[in-house]
Amino acid sequence: MPHPLEELRDSALREIAETQDESALEALRVRYLGRSGSISVWGEQIKTLSKEERPVVGKLLNESRNAVTAALAETGERLRAQREASALADIDLSLPGTATEIGALHPLTQMLDRAIAIFRRMGFALAEGPDVETEWYCFDALNTAPDHPARNEQDTFFLPDGRLLRTHTSTVQVRTMQSAPPPIRVIAPGAAYRRDEVDATHSAQFHQIEGLYVDDSVTVGDLKGTIEFFLRELLGAKTEIRFRPHFFPFTEPSFEVDVKSKALKSGEKWLELAGCGMVHPAVFEEVNRARGDTAYDPEKYSGFAFGLGMDRLAMILFDIPDIRLFSQNDLRFLRQFA
Ligand code: DAH
């Protein structure tokens, strides 16, 4: 007559072999091998047996446990494989996959990144300000008279609350000086807005890099050297550069900067790229008034500032014929710069 443990083992093996799903299999494991499972409890009973019976039943118990454990593992593996196979059954592995599209930086962003990298090497830190500004930041603080034509509604986008879309990035000069004392050496890349008649070379939104350097002995020589170094790094060592006297309310003296380079598509023509000059004492004084101190004492400090137009530069470097392409989001255009 088989030992009851043997009967228990055989019925466990039979049930395991017949199991069709993983949770039922787990229930069987608990029933036979769990802490109070019917095979496990034999471990306790052994203590009550006679000396002769004990090794026999002990051996049987070990064998039963091992056999049931192995059967559980084997059936578990089989059921898992079945589940995975049926999950894949509805999937047609021969269908093409979904390609992940890889994006690329916009040509203007690439242009700005190149320019910013050069200024950073010269020790300029990045500064920023909002596109929606007050008239004070855009004009008054920059020594621009109330009747200056740029303040006209014909030229500038005003919001109903009196604020405006900044017409240049020079606003960031004022914001930077307001928040920190000299020395200052920053660039501020960003968008600016004017109510221009839109055509191939004019857009209502354009991009500039503003620069500001204030310290105790900044000269026009520093201004020229900085701009020339930047342009030759960007456009090549053979680039010709010319500073033409000009007028800006917030600098004195002021210049416009033109470049000529065979490397450029514009070839032999002078190309106007930037405005610049020595920060006007009236700007320092207005900043002091706003700060409530004399941190920017015009007797002690001097500085230069510049504003570089980036759209035209990108158009020339990348041979782009129409400024409107920058904002039309046409993938056929954008993919050429990926
Ligand atoms: N803000 C001027 C413009 O948009 C450019 C400019 C001229 C910026 C002279 C400057 C500067 O910082 O010093 O036309």
Side-chain angles (χ1 to χ4, degrees), residues 157-175:
F157 295 106
F158 281 89
L159 276 68
D161 66 4
R163 290 182 301 164
L164 45 80
L165 295 183
R166 65 182 180 190
T167 60
H168 51 189
T169 47
S170 302
T171 53
V172 187
Q173 290 186 33
V174 181
R175 288 187 171 272

Side-chain angles (χ1 to χ4, degrees), residues 167-170 173 194 206 208 210-211 248 250-251 254-255 274-278 304-308:
T167 60
H168 51 189
T169 47
S170 302
Q173 290 186 33
R194 281 175 210 174
F206 54 99
Q208 298 185 319
E210 191 75 18
F248 295 105
F250 36 92
T251 41
S254 306
F255 310 92
C276 63
M278 302 305 290
F304 69 69
F306 57 84
L308 275 154

Side-chain angles (χ1 to χ4, degrees), residues 87-254:
L88 288 175
D90 291 341
I91 296 174
D92 182 350
L93 296 176
S94 67
L95 284 175
T98 316
T100 309
E101 297 231 29
I102 297 174
L105 294 178
H106 190 280
L108 264 175
T109 307
Q110 294 182 30
M111 184 70 238
L112 282 168
D113 284 353
R114 262 155 80 172
I116 290 167
I118 298 170
F119 282 117
R120 294 203 78 131
R121 264 162 47 212
M122 287 193 272
F124 283 82
L126 278 172
E128 59 178 6
D131 290 17
V132 176
E133 268 294 9
T134 64
E135 272 198 70
W136 186 79
Y137 279 108
C138 204
F139 299 121
D140 301 274
L142 289 164
N143 194 37
T144 306
D147 60 352
H148 193 278
R151 305 180 71 142
N152 195 299
E153 289 197 6
Q154 240 59 88
D155 290 325
T156 300
F157 295 106
F158 281 89
L159 276 68
D161 66 4
R163 290 182 301 164
L164 45 80
L165 295 183
R166 65 182 180 190
T167 60
H168 51 189
T169 47
S170 302
T171 53
V172 187
Q173 290 186 33
V174 181
R175 288 187 171 272
T176 305
M177 288 190 279
Q178 216 183 349
S179 62
I184 291 282
R185 187 160 45 178
V186 294
I187 50 166
Y193 306 83
R194 281 175 210 174
R195 278 184 67 165
D196 260 331
E197 205 59 60
V198 175
D199 62 23
T201 54
H202 295 85
S203 167
Q205 185 200 48
F206 54 99
H207 301 80
Q208 298 185 319
I209 293 185
E210 191 75 18
L212 175 68
Y213 181 22
V214 181
D215 208 338
D216 57 15
S217 50
V218 179
T219 67
V220 176
D222 297 316
L223 167 61
K224 279 194 76 183
T226 302
I227 301 255
E228 284 174 355
F229 177 84
F230 167 76
L231 290 173
R232 295 206 166 106
E233 283 295 293
L234 191 74
L235 305 174
K238 293 222 178 78
T239 307
E240 290 177 72
I241 298 156
R242 146 178 113 175
F243 288 75
R244 243 183 320 106
H246 197 76
F247 172 80
F248 295 105
F250 36 92
T251 41
E252 178 59 33
S254 306

Side-chain angles (χ1 to χ4, degrees), residues 30-41:
V30 173
R31 191 153 108 227
Y32 289 104
L33 296 182
R35 201 126 54 114
S36 43
S38 44
I39 294 182
S40 310
V41 293

